[in-house]
Coordinates of all heavy atoms in Angstrom, one line a residue:
T1 N -12.5 5.6 -3.6 CA -13.0 4.2 -3.8 C -12.8 3.4 -2.6 O -12.0 3.8 -1.7 CB -12.2 3.6 -5.1 OG1 -12.8 2.3 -5.3 CG2 -10.7 3.4 -4.8
N2 N -13.6 2.4 -2.5 CA -13.4 1.5 -1.4 C -13.0 0.1 -1.9 O -13.6 -0.4 -2.9 CB -14.7 1.4 -0.6 CG -15.1 2.6 0.2 OD1 -14.2 3.2 0.8 ND2 -16.3 3.0 0.0
I3 N -12.1 -0.5 -1.2 CA -11.7 -1.9 -1.6 C -11.7 -2.7 -0.3 O -11.5 -2.1 0.8 CB -10.4 -2.0 -2.3 CG1 -9.2 -1.4 -1.5 CG2 -10.5 -1.3 -3.7 CD1 -7.9 -1.7 -2.1
T4 N -11.8 -4.0 -0.4 CA -11.7 -4.9 0.7 C -10.6 -5.8 0.5 O -10.4 -6.5 -0.5 CB -13.0 -5.8 0.9 OG1 -14.1 -4.9 0.9 CG2 -12.9 -6.7 2.1
I5 N -9.6 -5.7 1.5 CA -8.3 -6.5 1.4 C -8.2 -7.3 2.7 O -8.7 -6.9 3.7 CB -7.1 -5.7 1.0 CG1 -6.9 -4.6 2.1 CG2 -7.3 -5.0 -0.3 CD1 -5.6 -3.8 1.9
P6 N -7.4 -8.4 2.7 CA -7.1 -9.1 3.9 C -6.4 -8.2 4.9 O -5.5 -7.4 4.5 CB -6.3 -10.3 3.4 CG -6.6 -10.4 1.9 CD -6.9 -9.1 1.5
K7 N -6.6 -8.4 6.1 CA -5.9 -7.7 7.2 C -4.5 -7.8 7.2 O -3.7 -6.8 7.4 CB -6.5 -8.0 8.6 CG -7.9 -7.5 8.9 CD -8.4 -7.9 10.2 CE -9.8 -7.4 10.4 NZ -10.2 -7.7 11.8
D8 N -4.0 -9.0 6.9 CA -2.5 -9.2 6.8 C -1.9 -8.4 5.7 O -0.8 -7.9 5.8 CB -2.2 -10.7 6.8 CG -2.7 -11.4 5.5 OD1 -3.8 -11.1 5.1 OD2 -1.9 -12.3 5.1
L9 N -2.6 -8.3 4.5 CA -2.1 -7.5 3.4 C -2.0 -6.1 3.8 O -1.0 -5.4 3.5 CB -3.0 -7.8 2.1 CG -2.6 -7.0 0.9 CD1 -1.1 -7.2 0.5 CD2 -3.5 -7.3 -0.2
K10 N -3.0 -5.6 4.4 CA -3.0 -4.2 4.9 C -1.8 -3.9 5.8 O -1.2 -2.9 5.7 CB -4.3 -3.8 5.5 CG -4.4 -2.3 5.9 CD -5.7 -1.9 6.3 CE -5.8 -0.4 6.5 NZ -5.4 0.0 7.8
A11 N -1.7 -4.8 6.7 CA -0.5 -4.6 7.7 C 0.8 -4.6 6.9 O 1.7 -3.8 7.3 CB -0.6 -5.7 8.7
R12 N 1.0 -5.5 6.0 CA 2.2 -5.5 5.2 C 2.4 -4.2 4.4 O 3.5 -3.6 4.3 CB 2.2 -6.7 4.2 CG 2.4 -8.0 5.0 CD 2.1 -9.2 4.1 NE 3.0 -9.3 3.0 CZ 2.8 -10.0 1.9 NH1 1.7 -10.7 1.8 NH2 3.6 -10.0 0.9
L13 N 1.3 -3.7 3.8 CA 1.4 -2.4 3.1 C 1.7 -1.3 4.0 O 2.5 -0.4 3.6 CB 0.1 -2.2 2.3 CG -0.2 -3.1 1.1 CD1 -1.6 -3.0 0.6 CD2 0.8 -2.8 0.0
E14 N 1.1 -1.3 5.2 CA 1.4 -0.2 6.1 C 2.8 -0.2 6.6 O 3.5 0.9 6.7 CB 0.5 -0.4 7.3 CG -0.9 0.0 7.1 CD -1.9 -0.2 8.2 OE1 -1.7 -1.2 8.9 OE2 -2.9 0.5 8.3
E15 N 3.4 -1.4 6.8 CA 4.8 -1.5 7.2 C 5.7 -1.0 6.0 O 6.7 -0.3 6.3 CB 5.1 -3.0 7.6 CG 6.5 -3.2 8.1 CD 6.8 -2.4 9.3 OE1 5.9 -2.2 10.1 OE2 8.0 -1.9 9.5
L16 N 5.4 -1.4 4.8 CA 6.2 -1.0 3.7 C 6.1 0.6 3.5 O 7.1 1.2 3.3 CB 5.7 -1.6 2.4 CG 6.5 -1.3 1.1 CD1 8.0 -1.7 1.3 CD2 5.9 -2.1 0.0
A17 N 5.0 1.1 3.7 CA 4.7 2.5 3.6 C 5.6 3.3 4.7 O 6.2 4.3 4.4 CB 3.3 2.9 3.8
K18 N 5.6 2.7 5.9 CA 6.4 3.3 7.0 C 7.9 3.3 6.6 O 8.6 4.3 6.8 CB 6.1 2.6 8.2 CG 6.8 3.1 9.5 CD 6.4 2.3 10.7 CE 7.1 3.0 11.9 NZ 6.8 2.2 13.2
K19 N 8.3 2.2 6.1 CA 9.7 2.0 5.7 C 10.1 3.0 4.6 O 11.2 3.5 4.5 CB 10.1 0.6 5.2 CG 10.1 -0.4 6.4 CD 10.5 -1.7 5.8 CE 10.4 -2.8 6.9 NZ 10.6 -4.1 6.4
E20 N 9.2 3.3 3.7 CA 9.4 4.2 2.5 C 9.0 5.6 2.8 O 8.9 6.4 1.8 CB 8.8 3.6 1.3 CG 9.5 2.2 0.9 CD 9.0 1.7 -0.4 OE1 8.3 2.4 -1.1 OE2 9.5 0.6 -0.7
N21 N 8.6 5.9 4.0 CA 8.2 7.2 4.4 C 7.0 7.8 3.6 O 7.0 8.9 3.1 CB 9.4 8.2 4.4 CG 9.1 9.5 5.2 OD1 8.4 9.4 6.2 ND2 9.7 10.5 4.9
R22 N 6.0 6.9 3.4 CA 4.8 7.3 2.6 C 3.6 7.0 3.5 O 3.7 6.2 4.4 CB 4.7 6.5 1.4 CG 5.7 6.7 0.3 CD 5.2 6.0 -1.0 NE 6.2 6.3 -2.1 CZ 7.1 5.4 -2.5 NH1 7.2 4.2 -1.9 NH2 8.0 5.7 -3.4
S23 N 2.5 7.6 3.2 CA 1.2 7.3 3.8 C 0.8 5.9 3.2 O 1.2 5.6 2.1 CB 0.2 8.4 3.5 OG -0.2 8.4 2.1
F24 N -0.1 5.3 3.8 CA -0.7 4.1 3.3 C -1.3 4.3 1.9 O -1.1 3.6 1.0 CB -1.7 3.5 4.3 CG -2.5 2.4 3.7 CD1 -1.9 1.1 3.7 CD2 -3.8 2.6 3.2 CE1 -2.7 0.0 3.2 CE2 -4.5 1.4 2.7 CZ -3.9 0.2 2.7
N25 N -2.1 5.4 1.8 CA -2.7 5.7 0.5 C -1.7 5.9 -0.6 O -1.8 5.4 -1.7 CB -3.5 7.0 0.7 CG -4.4 7.3 -0.5 OD1 -5.3 6.6 -0.8 ND2 -4.0 8.3 -1.2
M26 N -0.6 6.7 -0.3 CA 0.4 6.9 -1.3 C 1.1 5.7 -1.7 O 1.6 5.5 -2.8 CB 1.3 8.0 -0.9 CG 0.7 9.5 -1.0 SD 0.1 9.8 -2.7 CE 1.5 9.6 -3.7
Q27 N 1.4 4.8 -0.7 CA 2.0 3.5 -1.0 C 1.2 2.7 -2.0 O 1.7 2.1 -2.9 CB 2.2 2.8 0.3 CG 3.1 1.5 0.1 CD 4.5 1.8 -0.3 OE1 5.1 2.7 0.3 NE2 5.1 1.1 -1.2
V28 N -0.1 2.6 -1.7 CA -1.0 1.8 -2.7 C -0.9 2.4 -4.0 O -0.8 1.7 -5.1 CB -2.4 1.7 -2.0 CG1 -3.3 1.1 -3.1 CG2 -2.4 0.9 -0.7
I29 N -1.0 3.8 -4.1 CA -1.0 4.4 -5.4 C 0.3 4.2 -6.2 O 0.3 3.8 -7.3 CB -1.2 6.0 -5.2 CG1 -2.7 6.2 -4.9 CG2 -0.9 6.7 -6.6 CD1 -2.9 7.7 -4.4
T30 N 1.4 4.3 -5.4 CA 2.8 4.0 -6.0 C 2.8 2.6 -6.6 O 3.3 2.4 -7.7 CB 3.8 4.3 -5.0 OG1 3.8 5.6 -4.6 CG2 5.2 4.0 -5.5
I31 N 2.4 1.6 -5.8 CA 2.5 0.2 -6.2 C 1.6 0.0 -7.4 O 2.0 -0.6 -8.4 CB 2.0 -0.7 -5.1 CG1 3.1 -0.7 -4.0 CG2 1.7 -2.1 -5.6 CD1 2.6 -1.4 -2.7
L32 N 0.4 0.5 -7.5 CA -0.5 0.4 -8.6 C 0.1 1.1 -9.9 O 0.1 0.5 -11.0 CB -1.9 1.0 -8.3 CG -2.7 0.3 -7.3 CD1 -3.9 1.1 -6.9 CD2 -3.1 -1.1 -7.8
E33 N 0.7 2.3 -9.7 CA 1.3 3.0 -10.9 C 2.5 2.2 -11.4 O 2.7 2.0 -12.6 CB 1.7 4.4 -10.5 CG 0.6 5.3 -10.3 CD 1.0 6.7 -9.8 OE1 2.1 6.9 -9.2 OE2 0.2 7.7 -10.0
R34 N 3.3 1.6 -10.5 CA 4.4 0.9 -11.0 C 4.0 -0.4 -11.7 O 4.5 -0.8 -12.8 CB 5.3 0.4 -9.8 CG 6.2 1.5 -9.2 CD 6.9 1.0 -8.0 NE 7.7 2.0 -7.3 CZ 8.2 1.9 -6.2 NH1 8.1 0.8 -5.4 NH2 8.8 2.9 -5.6
Y35 N 2.9 -1.0 -11.2 CA 2.4 -2.2 -11.9 C 1.9 -1.9 -13.3 O 2.2 -2.6 -14.2 CB 1.3 -2.8 -11.0 CG 0.7 -4.0 -11.7 CD1 1.3 -5.3 -11.6 CD2 -0.5 -3.9 -12.4 CE1 0.7 -6.4 -12.2 CE2 -1.1 -5.0 -13.0 CZ -0.5 -6.2 -12.9 OH -1.0 -7.3 -13.5
L36 N 1.1 -0.8 -13.4 CA 0.5 -0.4 -14.6 C 1.6 0.0 -15.6 O 1.4 -0.1 -16.8 CB -0.5 0.6 -14.5 CG -1.7 0.1 -13.7 CD1 -2.7 1.4 -13.4 CD2 -2.5 -0.9 -14.5

């Protein structure tokens, strides 16, 4: 799927993914699963 998000949000997600040793994609999936 394709989504459009603000650049600053993407940067924050990338930083969080790096801290948690995940890829950007897996970080987004993890956040969505936790939310649901």
Side-chain angles (χ1 to χ4, degrees):
T1 187
N2 291 315
I3 61 170
T4 303
I5 61 174
K7 289 181 179 183
D8 62 324
L9 177 58
K10 183 172 187 271
R12 291 169 56 200
L13 289 167
E14 288 173 327
E15 184 62 32
L16 184 59
K18 185 176 180 181
K19 287 180 184 176
E20 296 188 4
N21 198 30
R22 290 190 180 102
S23 68
F24 173 79
N25 187 72
M26 284 307 301
Q27 187 65 44
V28 172
I29 290 170
T30 299
I31 290 168
L32 291 171
E33 286 176 339
R34 285 180 186 164
Y35 177 81
L36 291 173

